[in-house]
Amino acid sequence: MMSLGDDREVLREAPVGVFDSGVGGLTVVREIMRQIPNEKIIYFGDTARVPYGSKSKETITRYSRQIVRFLREQKVKAIVAACNTASAYALSEIEKEIDIPIIGVVKPGAKVAAEVTRNGRVGVIGTEGTVGSRIYSTYIKEIKPEIQVLGKACPLFVPLAEEGLWQDPVTDEIAKRYLSELIESDIDTLILGCTHYPLIRSTLGRIMGEKVTLVNPAYETARELRELLEQEQLLNRKKQELGMNCHRFYVSDMADKFQSFANSILKYGILSAKKIDIENY
């Protein structure tokens, strides 16, 4: 008969589920791999239904529920919604419906931005859905009501990042156009409110200038996940052996393209990505 201690040990070695509307959440996976290297990861990218940023709250919540059902079937011990739009629109409802921990990427980024701003003027860039939801503003003002939050939707950053144009004159030009009003607004902190944006971080930093602190929610989310797993006594203490295929990747479409992109940004690369029919969940 398995003891409670054995049970807890099995749970510790269970994987963490991570999901995104497509490939952007791989920046969160990258940070989890760096900061909590013992954790196994099961990733789902909804590549058939991307982008989420232009869809309704109801649609995004339905998609997120399906993905969470799939991840629960994989026996994950915790879930990360590595998508700003899903975090903004679906997380609060899904939290009430499941019995394992789930976190998003919005709260960790908002918390750090509220801590580091010096002049109380914070910029947020993201998809139309994320910026339109004003979710970052809501969380930041819960911490410090006096902070002024300015949002700017930057939809072209996603295709530029996915095309690998991370440091390219075209990306520079578009970034200058998008960011000009935030620069004029004298913000001193900028939240990269889309998981694709860390890929063009150097370009954004150069254009915003040294006086502006860039907040990367992917980095902060990995930190928060570690704290959560420690708090829940779920942190995996068993070191993964080199060569072990301890991470699994699933998509709803275009597995080959996903695999190619993943191998360009993840240190160890991935062996394969499996296509599944998410509509069955």
Side-chain angles (χ1 to χ4, degrees):
M1 185 177 173
M2 188 178 279
S3 72
L4 192 61
D6 292 335
D7 223 12
R8 176 62 65 176
E9 194 56 44
V10 169
L11 202 51
R12 283 195 193 107
E13 291 184 30
V16 171
V18 181
F19 77 90
D20 181 48
S21 58
V23 298
L26 290 168
T27 60
V28 178
V29 169
R30 182 170 64 181
E31 289 297 340
I32 294 171
M33 287 176 170
R34 283 174 179 166
Q35 296 184 46
I36 336 174
N38 292 353
E39 295 302 332
K40 302 169 187 172
I41 297 167
I42 293 181
Y43 181 90
F44 178 80
D46 200 359
T47 46
R49 304 185 295 196
V50 68
Y52 280 12
S54 56
K55 292 180 173 66
S56 70
K57 178 177 180 176
E58 291 72 27
T59 298
I60 291 161
T61 303
R62 179 168 65 84
Y63 288 176
S64 299
R65 280 197 180 105
Q66 289 175 322
I67 296 165
V68 166
R69 285 187 202 112
F70 166 71
L71 292 173
R72 293 304 309 276
E73 199 175 86
Q74 309 307 307
K75 305 284 192 263
V76 298
K77 63 184 176 184
I79 294 175
V80 179
C83 169
N84 282 267
T85 311
S87 298
Y89 284 157
L91 194 64
S92 59
E93 288 191 38
I94 290 173
E95 271 179 323
K96 301 168 193 169
E97 299 167 359
I98 62 173
D99 58 357
I100 61 169
I102 181 168
I103 62 170
V105 287
V106 174
K107 278 187 181 178
K111 182 182 173 187
V112 170
E115 289 169 358
V116 302
T117 181
R118 302 174 304 281
N119 70 0
R121 298 174 72 82
V122 173
V124 179
I125 53 175
T127 65
E128 290 172 17
T130 299
V131 173
S133 74
R134 299 186 59 80
I135 191 74
Y136 275 101
S137 179
T138 300
Y139 285 140
I140 288 170
K141 287 181 178 293
E142 281 176 8
I143 302 166
K144 289 185 181 175
E146 69 276 13
I147 292 177
Q148 186 176 357
V149 182
L150 300 97
K152 175 67 180 174
C154 304
L156 289 175
F157 283 165
V158 169
L160 288 169
E162 290 193 5
E163 287 298 322
L165 301 173
W166 302 344
Q167 297 189 42
D168 188 275
V170 174
T171 307
D172 270 37
E173 183 57 37
I174 290 170
K176 284 173 187 171
R177 292 191 189 193
Y178 278 152
L179 301 175
S180 60
E181 61 190 76
L182 292 176
I183 294 169
E184 289 166 12
S185 298
D186 194 33
I187 62 166
D188 74 349
T189 304
L190 180 66
I191 299 171
L192 310 186
C194 172
T195 47
H196 281 79
Y197 296 179
L199 298 172
I200 56 170
R201 182 190 175 114
S202 61
T203 296
L204 300 175
R206 188 174 65 253
I207 290 167
M208 293 307 299
E210 291 178 2
K211 293 180 181 178
V212 176
T213 302
L214 300 187
V215 175
N216 176 5
Y219 174 83
E220 305 303 339
T221 299
R223 283 183 58 191
E224 179 143 317
L225 176 64
R226 183 187 183 101
E227 287 173 14
L228 173 70
L229 295 177
E230 283 179 338
Q231 181 185 316
E232 299 288 333
Q233 298 183 337
L234 291 173
L235 200 64
N236 189 4
R237 306 191 188 283
K238 191 173 181 181
K239 194 170 183 180
Q240 304 302 330
E241 294 174 26
L242 281 176
M244 276 183 68
N245 187 19
C246 54
H247 309 304
R248 303 204 306 269
F249 297 83
Y250 298 88
V251 293
S252 49
D253 200 10
M254 300 179 294
D256 290 344
K257 187 175 180 183
F258 173 89
Q259 186 178 338
S260 174
F261 187 83
N263 284 327
S264 72
I265 67 169
L266 296 179
K267 183 179 177 184
Y268 299 110
I270 70 172
L271 298 177
S272 65
K274 186 177 179 182
K275 179 184 171 183
I276 63 159
D277 187 352
I278 197 64
E279 294 288 1
N280 289 335
Y281 291 87

